[in-house]
Amino acid sequence: MARAPVRRRVDRAPAPGKQPLDQVADGRRRVVIEAVMPEVDGGRFPAKRTVGETVTVEADIFADGHDALAAILRHRHQSSPTWTETPMTPLVNDRWRAEFPVTELGSYVFTIEGWVDPFETWSRQLAKRVQAGQDIAVELEVGARMLEQAAAKANGAAADAARLTAVAKSLRGTAVPAIDGEVGRLMRRYTDRSLATVYAREVEVLVEAAKARFSTWYELFPRSVGKFPDVERLLPNIARMGFDVLYFPPIHPIGRTHRKGANNRPATSGEPGSPWAIGSEEGGHKAVSSDLGTLEDFRHLVQSAAKQGIDVALDIAFQCSPDHPYTREHPEWFKHRPDGSIQYAENPPKKYEDIYPFDFETEHWRELWQELLSIVLYWAEQGVRIFRVDNPHTKPFTFWEWLIGEVRRIHPDVVMLSEAFTRPKVMYRLAKAGFSQSYTYFAWRNTAYELYQYFTELAQPPIREFFRPNLWPNTPDILTEYLQTGGRPAFQARLILAATLGASYGIYGPAFELMENRAREQGSEEYLDSEKYQARKWNRDSPDSLRELVTIINRIRQENPALQTDRGLRFHPTENDQLLAYSKSTPDNANVILAVVNVDPHHVQRGMVNLPLEELGIERDRPYQAHELISGARYLWNGPRNFVEINPHSMPGQVFRFRRRVRSEHDFEYFL
Amino acid sequence: MARAPVRRRVDRAPAPGKQPLDQVADGRRRVVIEAVMPEVDGGRFPAKRTVGETVTVEADIFADGHDALAAILRHRHQSSPTWTETPMTPLVNDRWRAEFPVTELGSYVFTIEGWVDPFETWSRQLAKRVQAGQDIAVELEVGARMLEQAAAKANGAAADAARLTAVAKSLRGTAVPAIDGEVGRLMRRYTDRSLATVYAREVEVLVEAAKARFSTWYELFPRSVGKFPDVERLLPNIARMGFDVLYFPPIHPIGRTHRKGANNRPATSGEPGSPWAIGSEEGGHKAVSSDLGTLEDFRHLVQSAAKQGIDVALDIAFQCSPDHPYTREHPEWFKHRPDGSIQYAENPPKKYEDIYPFDFETEHWRELWQELLSIVLYWAEQGVRIFRVDNPHTKPFTFWEWLIGEVRRIHPDVVMLSEAFTRPKVMYRLAKAGFSQSYTYFAWRNTAYELYQYFTELAQPPIREFFRPNLWPNTPDILTEYLQTGGRPAFQARLILAATLGASYGIYGPAFELMENRAREQGSEEYLDSEKYQARKWNRDSPDSLRELVTIINRIRQENPALQTDRGLRFHPTENDQLLAYSKSTPDNANVILAVVNVDPHHVQRGMVNLPLEELGIERDRPYQAHELISGARYLWNGPRNFVEINPHSMPGQVFRFRRRVRSEHDFEYFL
C-alpha cells in the first residue's frame, strides 16, 4: 500500500515582524488558528485513538474585526492522498469544534482552514439593516455582485451558476431579499478561500487496535502450570473468567551463570532461575526454553488462544544472562570493565550479576537497534501481537520511538505495554514515544483521595491523548502492604477498582485470585517463594478463590461500553473519606455505570453519594433504577443524593448501572 | 550594529520512528528536554521582559536509567555571536532551573543543553560502594581512565591536564580516593558533550524599555487646556502628581464632513469635532491641528516633558475622516460601494459616517502597510517613544506583528499600548503580536471576587509572559456604573486598586480626579458633554479634587519596587466578600506591600486578613510593623490573622508596608 508521508515538521514562515515586507506571504490572511486539540507537545508526538473511535477537534479561531468566519476541519488517513472536509461549528469564546471517525489502523492527519466569510457577514448585517428600516438599495447591489462572482466560479456546475445568478437578479428587482439556507450553502461551496489561513501543522493521530483501549490481562508463569500444552489446556478456564490477554514472563532459555534460586538466593542445582536472565547455550531472545516446549508448541498455543478470543502477550526484556549468545557474538554491544569483564547490572551497592544490560552508548548502536527490532518482528511473525516491555525506562527514548514506529509500520495492530515503574515524566515520555499502554502508580494509590487525584491527573489533556493506563493490583514484583494486610476485602476492592477505573487492567494469577499475601519479609513487596525464582503449584479450584468475582466483574466490563474506554470518568462526593464514588458513561449517556468502593477493608462505611443527574442524562424529577450488577439487586433511587452503606466483609464495592424509566401506554414502569 | 539573526523556526528532525535508521542523527543522545518555560505557543512568539529584569528558565530534563545528568542554559543577545553558559540546578521531579539577567534592549535568545555525566555518576556510585565496604579496585581504574581522557582533552591548559593526571594517578595508588569539588569542576569543563541534547528551539525573549513594565499614565484632551504651550505650562502640575506618561488623543487636523458635535449630535458651526476623525485639507496623520499649535510647539512640549520625567504618548488611530488626503491620493486603500462612494465605518444598524476605515484586504496592502509604518516612524522621529493604539483589533494581527517588529528594529525603546477592548483571545493575541501593554477588563471588574479571578488569570503562565496589563478606572469612552453611582469612595477605591494591582495604570483626567460622574443618559457609559466632541473647562484647583490622594498613591508606587512589577502578586482571604486583600513583594521579600480595599462604596466593612507569613518573609513568632502608607499610621501586628475595618467614607483602601524588626544589642525594637 502506497502511503502519503506523514509530515510532522512545523512549516512556518519566520515571524513577519522580523523580515522585509516583500517576504510576508500574504498580509491579507486575517484568520488566526491556535490552541488546537488534540495536539501533544506542539505536534511533536501524535495523539492516540483506536479503531472505531472519534476524534473531536477544537481550536481557537478568530480574526480582527467583527466579520463572520467559516472554518473546516480537514483529515485523511496517511494512505489516502485526498482530504475529507468537515465544517466546524462555533462554540463560545471563539472556540470551534468538529469531529471525524477513525476506522483504519495507522496514522491519520488533520488540519484546519479558516477564512473570513463576506457573504455571511453581508447576510447578517442585511437582516439588521432591514429591521432598522434602512435604505438597503446599495447593500442589495453589494450582495448581487457577490452572488455573480460566485456564479462565475461555478462554471461547470451550470445549475448552481444559474441559481446564483437568479438570486442576484432577484436582489436587484425586489425590496425583500430571498436568501435561504440553500443559497448560503451554494455560496460556501464557491467561496473564495484564496486568503484562508491553514493551520501551521498537520496534526497526527495514531490509530491502534481496539485492544490498545480495552483489554483484560491475566499474567501467569507457564512453568508453574507445566509445559505449553498444559497451559493450552488451561485456556478455557482463563477465557471463562473473561480475560482476553494472557501474558507470560520471558519464555526463553535461562542462563546458568550467577543463576538465582528460591527467594533470590544463589541457585542450587536443579533450580530453574529467573526467566528474565535470558539466554544460554540453548539460544537467546528468539529461542524457546526447552523446559516449556518447542516453538511449534508455542505457536499452537497462540493459535488456540486466538480461537478463544485471547491474545498471548510476550515479555520483551532487552537484557542478557552472562551465557547469552550475544555476549560471545557481539561483545561490542556491552560495556566492558577495565579487567576485561562485561559490566553487569547494578544499582550500587546492589549487584545483579546474572544480568548484563546492553550498552546503548556503544558505537555499534545501529546494529544493536536492528537486532533488537528483529526480535520483536520475529515474535510478531509467530502470531504475537501484544508485547509487555520490561523496564523500558532503562533504554533511550529515541530507541523506543524508532523501534515502535518500525514495528507498527509492518504490524499496525501491535499493542505494546510499557513497564515503566519510574518517575512520572519518564513514564509519560515513554507513552509519547509510542507505547500503547503503560503500567501506572495504581498499586500504590490506596486511599480514596489518592485515587481521585491520580485518575483526575490522567484524565487531563494532553495526558489523556497519549497515555493509556493499564491497572494492576499486583504483579510478580509488587505485593502491596494493602494486600498483605487487608485480607479478602482488600483483594476484592482492588479488583473492582482496577476493572472499573481503567478500561485496561490485569492481575498476576493465580496469586491474585487465591489471595496470596505472604511477603518475603516485613517491609518488602516481594512475594515469599516468588514465582520469579521457582515454580509454584496452585490450587486453582480452592473454594476461597476470587475466581467467581473476577468472572462477574469481567462480564460487567464486557456488557457495558462505558467501562471500555478511559473517557467519561467523573468522581462524585460521598461525604465519607473511605468511600470512593465515580461514574463512567458513554458520550450519549446510553450506558452509565456508577461504582462505589469502600477502601477501608476493615469497617463498614456509610455515606451519601451526590450525583450530577443532568450530566448523567437522568431526569431530575422522576425515580430511576440503580441496578447493582455484582449482586443483581435493584434499587429505586430518587434525586441526586442517595445513601450507601458498604460492609467490606460482604462485598467492598458496588457497581450500579442506571436504568431510566420508559413510560408505556399504561404507565407501568419499565427500565431500559 | 550588526545583528545575528534571531531564528524562530523549529529545527527538528522528523520523528525517528518514521524514518530509516541511517537517518537517525545519533541514537545515543539520551537526554530529553521538554516543557521549557518561558515559552509562548511553542516558541511562536517571544516572552517579554524589560531592561534590568531576570529571566528564570525552567525545563523538564531527564534521561533513561539512573545516571547523573548535567545541564546548562545558554543565552545571548541577538547582537552577540557568542553564548553565555550558566549551569542549571535540579529542583524536584526532573525539573531544572537557571536564570540570566537582561541588560540591553532588543531580543535575547536562550536554549538548553543537557547530557549524561559519567564522572558524576561514577563519583556518586563510588561513595555508595565504599560505604558498603565493597572491593573498589576496578572502579578506581574506571575513574582513573575517565580522568585521563579529560586530561587529554585539556591540551593547551597544562595545569588542568596535570591536575587531572595527578588525580588519576592517586586513584591507582591509594584505597581512599581524593575527589574534591575542584576535580568535579575540572571534569565538567572537559566533559565530552558530543552526545549532548540541545533543545529543539532557540527561545526568544524580547527586552523592552523599563516603562513597558512600570508606567503611570495621565490622559488629557489638549484642546480643553488650550494650545500646546498651555499644556506645557501644566507639566509641572502633572509631574508633581507623579505621572510619567502624558497621553493625548489624536492631535491631527479634524475632518469637516459628517463632523460630530456635542454629545455625538451632528456638529453645528464652530464645533471642533472628534479628534479620531483624522484628516482634513490641512493634512492627515503626519500633521498637527492648527487649533493646537505647530509641529515645533509639539516638539518643544515633548522635550520639556522629557526634562520633567514625562513621556508624551500619542494616539495611533489608523482611520480617516472623509476629508483625509489619503481618500483622494489613495482611493485604492479604501473599500468602495457600488455607488462609487467610499465605505464608511459601521456596526449595522449603527453608522459612523465621519470615519473611513482602511481596507486591509486591498490588493495594495503592501503600500498601505508601508505608509502606516511611516506614520509611526515619523512621530518617533519627533521624539515620541510611547504610542497608544486605537482599536487595534479591527486591523489584521499579521499587520501589527510586522509593524511593531519594524518599529522596534529602528527604535527598540518604543512602548505600544493596545486599546483592545474586545474578546479575551483577540486581546491576548494582540499582546503576543508585539504590543508592550494592553488595556484590560479592569474597569468592569468591580467585586472582590471578579478582581481576584481576573488578576489570577493574568498571573498564570504563559499569559504573564506576554501580556502586560495597564489598568484604567475610566477613559473618555468608559464611565462605569460603579463610578456613576459610588460617589467619592468609588473613585478612591478604583484608584487604589488600579495603582496597586497593576504596575502600569492610568486615569483620564481631570475627569477622574474631579470625580466627573454624569453619564449622557441612563444605562450609558458615555460621559455627558464628553470631551470627545467638545472642549471642557475644568477647575483643576477644586478643593474636592482627588489630586492629593493621586499624588500620595503615585509616591507610594515610586518608593516601593514591589509595586513596579506585575510579578509577585498574591491574594489573601479576608472572611468578608467586600474586602479584597492582596500583597505584592519583591523576590527577596525586601519590599512587601499589602493592600486591603473595601469595594463596597457605601458601608463600613470589617474582616480578618489571613497572611502566609513565611512566604512574605515575616517571622511567625514576633510582632511586625504594618505601616499604612496613605495615612502614615503604624500598627503592630502579630501572627497571620489581623483585624481590619474600613470605612469607605474616610478612605476605602489601606496600603501597608511591612517592616521587620531589627534587633539591636539592647533589644530595642527597630523596624526596617
Side-chain angles (χ1 to χ4, degrees):
Chain A
M1 182 172 62
R3 287 162 187 273
V6 174
R7 294 161 65 208
R8 283 202 191 139
R9 278 194 54 249
V10 176
D11 282 317
R12 199 178 64 219
K18 294 299 173 63
Q19 57 179 338
L21 183 49
D22 55 8
Q23 284 177 33
V24 176
D26 197 321
R28 295 174 298 170
R29 296 189 198 284
R30 294 166 47 201
V31 172
V32 163
I33 302 171
E34 56 180 28
V36 171
M37 282 180 37
E39 198 180 68
V40 180
D41 290 5
R44 168 69 179 84
F45 300 101
K48 292 177 187 165
R49 292 293 185 279
T50 57
V51 169
E53 283 191 296
T54 290
V55 182
T56 301
V57 175
E58 288 191 7
D60 292 346
I61 304 178
F62 52 88
D64 59 280
H66 308 286
D67 291 342
L69 305 187
I72 50 118
L73 167 68
R74 282 208 304 234
H75 79 275
R76 65 175 176 85
H77 188 266
Q78 67 182 134
S79 65
S80 162
T82 56
W83 293 95
T84 301
E85 294 194 348
T86 312
M88 297 189 78
T89 308
L91 310 171
V92 293
N93 193 16
D94 293 316
R95 195 83 180 146
W96 293 61
R97 181 190 290 161
E99 57 182 44
F100 65 96
V102 288
T103 54
E104 284 177 71
L105 291 168
S107 285
Y108 284 73
V109 286
F110 72 83
T111 194
I112 292 170
E113 187 173 337
W115 61 92
V116 174
D117 185 339
F119 188 76
E120 177 66 22
T121 307
W122 173 85
S123 300
R124 285 186 200 174
Q125 293 186 346
L126 193 69
K128 291 179 189 164
R129 294 180 211 276
V130 169
Q131 202 173 8
Q134 294 180 352
D135 177 1
I136 55 169
V138 175
E139 290 309 316
L140 291 178
E141 178 60 27
V142 168
R145 291 185 184 187
M146 281 195 262
L147 286 157
E148 283 168 351
Q149 275 173 17
K153 288 189 69 184
N155 60 353
D160 290 354
R163 173 94 175 96
L164 291 166
T165 308
V167 178
K169 199 167 171 186
S170 82
L171 285 187
R172 292 205 180 88
T174 74
V176 184
I179 308 296
D180 58 15
E182 171 60 17
V183 175
R185 271 189 297 280
L186 277 179
M187 286 300 285
R188 272 195 293 282
R189 186 177 308 160
Y190 299 108
T191 193
D192 177 10
R193 279 156 62 172
S194 63
L195 295 181
T197 298
V198 179
Y199 182 57
R201 275 184 283 277
E202 293 181 5
V203 182
E204 184 178 352
V205 178
L206 176 71
V207 177
E208 298 182 82
K211 270 191 183 168
R213 169 180 47 80
F214 173 54
S215 56
T216 311
W217 292 52
Y218 191 78
E219 172 174 7
L220 65 72
F221 283 80
R223 69 186 180 194
S224 288
V225 181
K227 293 196 160 208
F228 285 136
D230 304 306
V231 177
E232 196 171 325
R233 276 188 289 280
L234 210 59
L235 287 172
N237 199 317
I238 293 164
R240 211 176 302 122
M241 281 200 284
F243 292 99
D244 58 16
V245 181
L246 175 59
Y247 151 52
F248 299 148
I251 60 171
H252 316 300
I254 296 171
R256 301 202 158 270
T257 306
H258 294 295
R259 179 178 280 189
K260 297 281 178 70
N263 290 305
N264 201 23
R265 291 188 292 262
T268 53
S269 168
E271 289 198 281
S274 160
W276 285 275
I278 296 172
S280 73
E281 307 75 31
E282 268 193 69
H285 284 76
K286 295 177 190 168
V288 170
S289 165
S290 57
D291 293 346
L292 295 174
T294 65
L295 179 63
E296 209 36 62
D297 294 338
F298 176 72
R299 291 168 55 104
H300 197 273
L301 167 63
V302 169
Q303 285 158 24
S304 175
K307 283 182 198 135
Q308 299 174 65
I310 295 175
D311 267 285
V312 169
L314 281 195
D315 196 308
I316 296 288
F318 284 147
Q319 59 192 24
C320 299
S321 94
D323 308 317
H324 197 293
Y326 288 154
T327 62
R328 297 183 305 277
E329 295 162 14
H330 294 286
E332 73 278 13
W333 292 348
F334 301 89
K335 198 176 245 168
H336 293 264
R337 307 175 78 211
D339 63 1
S341 65
I342 292 180
Q343 176 68 58
Y344 47 80
E346 54 176 351
N347 184 10
K350 285 190 203 163
K351 302 176 177 188
Y352 307 96
E353 292 173 90
D354 60 333
I355 301 288
Y356 288 172
F358 290 109
D359 175 16
F360 280 86
E361 290 183 339
T362 171
E363 284 177 31
H364 304 275
W365 60 274
R366 284 195 174 81
E367 294 77 9
L368 172 63
W369 284 23
Q370 288 289 12
E371 176 63 21
L372 297 180
L373 170 62
S374 78
I375 292 169
V376 183
L377 294 178
Y378 176 84
W379 292 107
E381 278 154 29
Q382 313 312 318
V384 178
R385 283 295 175 277
I386 304 190
F387 296 93
R388 176 267 196 195
V389 177
D390 192 71
N391 278 338
H393 56 287
T394 58
K395 290 96 194 170
F397 303 100
T398 322
F399 165 70
W400 291 119
E401 194 171 357
W402 172 83
L403 179 130
I404 297 171
E406 290 297 293
V407 171
R408 218 167 247 148
R409 205 157 52 82
I410 303 168
H411 302 288
D413 57 341
V414 157
V415 172
M416 309 270 281
L417 167 63
S418 156
E419 191 229 12
F421 287 120
T422 172
R423 287 122 59 211
K425 286 166 187 174
V426 174
M427 191 184 271
Y428 288 144
R429 179 77 182 203
L430 286 163
K432 293 179 195 172
F435 282 95
S436 316
Q437 302 183 344
S438 176
Y439 286 69
T440 67
Y441 307 129
F442 169 71
W444 303 284
R445 300 292 179 271
N446 291 296
T447 69
Y449 183 68
E450 284 168 348
L451 287 161
Y452 156 75
Q453 264 202 316
Y454 186 49
F455 283 88
T456 300
E457 174 183 325
L458 296 184
Q460 299 306 306
I463 294 172
R464 67 174 187 205
E465 306 296 348
F466 63 81
F467 185 85
R468 294 197 196 95
N470 190 332
L471 312 185
W472 291 73
N474 74 331
T475 77
D477 294 315
I478 306 169
L479 173 64
T480 61
E481 194 187 354
Y482 187 85
L483 292 181
Q484 290 178 37
T485 62
R488 187 180 186 88
F491 280 85
Q492 291 172 319
R494 298 301 293 178
L495 172 71
I496 296 169
L497 287 167
T500 56
L501 275 172
S504 289
Y505 91 101
I507 57 173
Y508 152 54
F512 188 85
E513 67 265 29
L514 296 179
M515 296 174 287
E516 171 64 82
N517 66 355
R518 295 168 305 144
R520 191 193 297 163
E521 60 203 16
Q522 219 191 340
S524 166
E525 292 193 333
E526 289 285 340
Y527 279 93
L528 180 68
D529 301 331
S530 168
E531 285 183 286
K532 292 194 286 186
Y533 310 110
Q534 65 189 89
R536 290 275 299 272
K537 288 295 159 209
W538 300 96
N539 176 13
R540 297 180 169 272
D541 297 317
S542 159
D544 276 344
S545 171
L546 294 178
R547 188 166 60 182
E548 190 55 30
L549 179 62
V550 170
T551 306
I552 292 170
I553 293 289
N554 285 342
R555 201 194 59 233
I556 293 171
R557 284 165 52 85
Q558 201 60 47
E559 291 173 354
N560 290 281
L563 297 177
Q564 298 170 13
T565 167
D566 287 317
R567 307 240 160 185
L569 175 65
R570 290 186 184 89
F571 289 92
H572 308 296
T574 62
E575 305 171 16
N576 179 333
D577 285 351
Q578 300 293 329
L579 289 180
L580 183 68
Y582 50 94
S583 65
K584 291 185 100 171
S585 49
T586 52
D588 59 359
N589 283 327
N591 185 231
V592 181
I593 297 293
L594 170 73
V596 188
V597 179
N598 177 0
V599 299
D600 171 2
H602 306 296
H603 306 99
V604 175
Q605 298 288 345
R606 298 169 190 86
M608 296 297 292
V609 176
N610 291 267
L611 295 174
L613 295 186
E614 205 164 326
E615 288 176 35
L616 300 175
I618 298 170
E619 270 184 279
R620 207 181 166 82
D621 302 330
R622 312 208 68 183
Y624 53 100
Q625 196 188 82
H627 182 190
E628 208 287 303
L629 301 172
I630 299 175
S631 65
R634 291 166 191 262
Y635 305 89
L636 211 56
W637 281 12
N638 217 324
R641 274 167 59 86
N642 288 281
F643 178 74
V644 288
E645 172 177 304
I646 302 188
N647 180 347
H649 300 294
S650 53
M651 183 58 69
Q654 302 182 341
V655 181
F656 300 95
R657 174 166 179 183
F658 291 128
R659 300 184 189 270
R660 270 167 297 240
R661 193 164 52 180
V662 178
R663 277 175 252 183
S664 78
E665 64 268 46
H666 304 292
D667 211 3
F668 279 109
E669 296 197 339
Y670 292 95
F671 292 92
L672 269 189
Chain B
M1 181 172 63
R3 286 162 188 275
V6 174
R7 292 162 67 208
R8 283 204 191 138
R9 278 194 55 251
V10 176
D11 281 318
R12 198 177 65 217
K18 294 299 173 65
Q19 59 179 339
L21 182 49
D22 55 7
Q23 285 177 31
V24 176
D26 198 320
R28 295 173 297 170
R29 295 189 199 284
R30 293 167 49 200
V31 172
V32 163
I33 302 171
E34 56 180 30
V36 171
M37 281 179 40
E39 197 180 69
V40 179
D41 289 6
R44 168 70 179 82
F45 300 101
K48 292 176 186 165
R49 293 293 186 278
T50 57
V51 169
E53 282 190 296
T54 290
V55 182
T56 300
V57 175
E58 288 191 7
D60 292 346
I61 304 178
F62 52 88
D64 59 280
H66 308 286
D67 290 342
L69 305 187
I72 51 118
L73 167 68
R74 282 209 303 235
H75 79 275
R76 64 175 177 86
H77 189 267
Q78 66 182 134
S79 65
S80 162
T82 56
W83 294 95
T84 301
E85 295 195 348
T86 313
M88 296 189 77
T89 308
L91 311 172
V92 293
N93 194 17
D94 293 317
R95 196 83 180 146
W96 293 61
R97 182 190 289 159
E99 58 182 45
F100 64 95
V102 288
T103 53
E104 285 177 71
L105 292 168
S107 285
Y108 284 73
V109 286
F110 71 83
T111 195
I112 293 170
E113 188 174 336
W115 61 92
V116 174
D117 185 339
F119 188 75
E120 177 64 23
T121 307
W122 173 85
S123 300
R124 286 185 198 173
Q125 294 186 347
L126 192 69
K128 291 179 189 165
R129 294 181 212 275
V130 169
Q131 202 172 9
Q134 294 180 353
D135 177 1
I136 55 170
V138 176
E139 289 309 316
L140 290 178
E141 178 60 27
V142 168
R145 291 185 184 187
M146 282 195 264
L147 286 156
E148 282 167 352
Q149 275 173 18
K153 289 190 69 182
N155 60 353
D160 290 354
R163 173 93 174 95
L164 291 167
T165 309
V167 178
K169 200 168 169 184
S170 83
L171 285 187
R172 291 205 180 89
T174 75
V176 184
I179 309 296
D180 58 16
E182 172 60 15
V183 174
R185 270 190 297 280
L186 275 179
M187 286 300 284
R188 271 195 294 282
R189 185 178 307 161
Y190 299 108
T191 193
D192 177 10
R193 279 155 61 171
S194 63
L195 295 181
T197 298
V198 179
Y199 183 57
R201 276 185 283 277
E202 292 180 5
V203 182
E204 183 178 352
V205 178
L206 176 71
V207 177
E208 297 182 82
K211 271 192 183 167
R213 169 180 48 79
F214 173 54
S215 56
T216 311
W217 292 52
Y218 191 79
E219 173 175 6
L220 65 73
F221 283 80
R223 69 187 180 193
S224 289
V225 181
K227 293 198 163 208
F228 284 137
D230 303 307
V231 177
E232 197 170 324
R233 276 189 289 281
L234 211 58
L235 286 172
N237 199 317
I238 293 164
R240 210 175 302 122
M241 281 198 285
F243 293 99
D244 58 16
V245 181
L246 175 60
Y247 151 53
F248 299 148
I251 58 171
H252 317 300
I254 296 171
R256 301 202 159 270
T257 307
H258 295 294
R259 179 179 280 190
K260 297 282 178 67
N263 291 306
N264 201 24
R265 289 187 294 262
T268 54
S269 168
E271 289 198 281
S274 159
W276 284 275
I278 296 170
S280 74
E281 307 74 31
E282 268 192 67
H285 285 76
K286 294 177 191 168
V288 170
S289 166
S290 57
D291 292 348
L292 295 174
T294 65
L295 179 63
E296 211 34 65
D297 294 340
F298 176 73
R299 291 167 55 103
H300 197 273
L301 168 62
V302 168
Q303 285 158 22
S304 174
K307 284 183 199 134
Q308 298 173 65
I310 295 175
D311 267 284
V312 169
L314 281 194
D315 195 307
I316 295 289
F318 284 146
Q319 58 192 25
C320 299
S321 95
D323 308 317
H324 196 294
Y326 288 154
T327 63
R328 297 183 304 278
E329 295 162 12
H330 293 287
E332 74 278 12
W333 291 349
F334 300 89
K335 197 176 247 169
H336 293 265
R337 308 175 78 210
D339 63 1
S341 65
I342 291 180
Q343 176 68 58
Y344 47 80
E346 53 177 352
N347 184 10
K350 285 190 202 161
K351 302 176 177 189
Y352 307 96
E353 292 172 270
D354 60 332
I355 301 289
Y356 288 172
F358 291 109
D359 175 16
F360 280 86
E361 290 184 340
T362 172
E363 284 177 30
H364 304 275
W365 60 274
R366 285 194 173 82
E367 294 77 8
L368 172 62
W369 285 24
Q370 289 289 12
E371 177 63 21
L372 297 180
L373 170 62
S374 78
I375 292 169
V376 183
L377 294 179
Y378 176 83
W379 291 108
E381 279 153 28
Q382 313 312 319
V384 177
R385 283 294 175 276
I386 304 191
F387 296 93
R388 176 268 196 193
V389 177
D390 191 71
N391 278 338
H393 56 288
T394 59
K395 289 96 193 170
F397 303 100
T398 323
F399 165 69
W400 291 120
E401 194 171 357
W402 172 81
L403 179 131
I404 298 172
E406 289 297 292
V407 171
R408 218 167 248 147
R409 206 156 52 82
I410 302 166
H411 302 288
D413 56 341
V414 158
V415 173
M416 310 271 280
L417 167 63
S418 157
E419 190 227 13
F421 286 121
T422 174
R423 286 123 57 212
K425 286 166 187 175
V426 175
M427 190 183 271
Y428 288 144
R429 179 76 182 203
L430 287 162
K432 292 179 195 172
F435 282 95
S436 317
Q437 301 183 344
S438 176
Y439 286 69
T440 67
Y441 307 129
F442 169 71
W444 303 283
R445 299 292 179 272
N446 290 296
T447 68
Y449 183 68
E450 284 168 349
L451 288 161
Y452 157 74
Q453 264 202 317
Y454 187 48
F455 284 87
T456 300
E457 174 182 324
L458 297 184
Q460 299 306 307
I463 294 173
R464 67 175 188 205
E465 306 296 348
F466 62 80
F467 186 84
R468 294 196 196 95
N470 189 332
L471 311 185
W472 291 73
N474 74 331
T475 77
D477 294 315
I478 305 169
L479 173 64
T480 61
E481 195 188 352
Y482 187 86
L483 291 181
Q484 289 177 37
T485 62
R488 186 181 186 88
F491 280 84
Q492 292 172 319
R494 298 301 293 177
L495 173 71
I496 296 168
L497 286 167
T500 56
L501 274 172
S504 290
Y505 91 102
I507 57 173
Y508 151 53
F512 187 86
E513 67 265 29
L514 296 179
M515 294 174 289
E516 171 64 84
N517 65 355
R518 295 168 306 144
R520 191 193 297 163
E521 59 203 17
Q522 218 191 343
S524 166
E525 292 194 333
E526 289 286 339
Y527 279 93
L528 179 69
D529 301 332
S530 167
E531 285 183 285
K532 290 194 289 187
Y533 310 110
Q534 65 190 86
R536 289 277 299 272
K537 288 294 160 211
W538 300 98
N539 176 11
R540 297 181 169 270
D541 297 319
S542 158
D544 276 346
S545 171
L546 294 178
R547 189 167 56 182
E548 190 54 30
L549 179 62
V550 169
T551 306
I552 291 170
I553 293 289
N554 285 343
R555 200 193 60 232
I556 293 171
R557 284 165 53 84
Q558 202 60 47
E559 291 173 354
N560 289 281
L563 297 176
Q564 298 170 13
T565 167
D566 288 317
R567 309 242 158 183
L569 174 67
R570 289 187 185 89
F571 288 93
H572 308 296
T574 62
E575 305 171 16
N576 179 335
D577 285 351
Q578 301 292 332
L579 289 180
L580 183 68
Y582 49 94
S583 66
K584 290 185 102 172
S585 50
T586 52
D588 59 359
N589 283 326
N591 184 231
V592 181
I593 297 292
L594 169 73
V596 188
V597 179
N598 177 0
V599 299
D600 171 1
H602 306 296
H603 305 100
V604 175
Q605 298 287 347
R606 299 169 190 86
M608 297 297 290
V609 175
N610 291 267
L611 296 174
L613 296 186
E614 204 164 326
E615 289 175 36
L616 301 175
I618 298 170
E619 269 184 279
R620 207 179 168 84
D621 302 330
R622 311 207 69 182
Y624 53 100
Q625 195 189 83
H627 181 190
E628 208 287 303
L629 301 172
I630 299 175
S631 65
R634 290 166 191 262
Y635 305 88
L636 210 57
W637 282 11
N638 216 324
R641 274 166 60 86
N642 289 282
F643 178 74
V644 289
E645 171 177 305
I646 302 188
N647 180 348
H649 300 294
S650 53
M651 185 56 71
Q654 302 183 341
V655 181
F656 300 95
R657 175 165 178 184
F658 291 128
R659 300 185 189 269
R660 269 166 298 239
R661 194 162 53 178
V662 179
R663 276 176 252 184
S664 77
E665 65 266 46
H666 304 293
D667 211 3
F668 278 109
E669 295 196 342
Y670 292 96
F671 292 92
L672 269 189

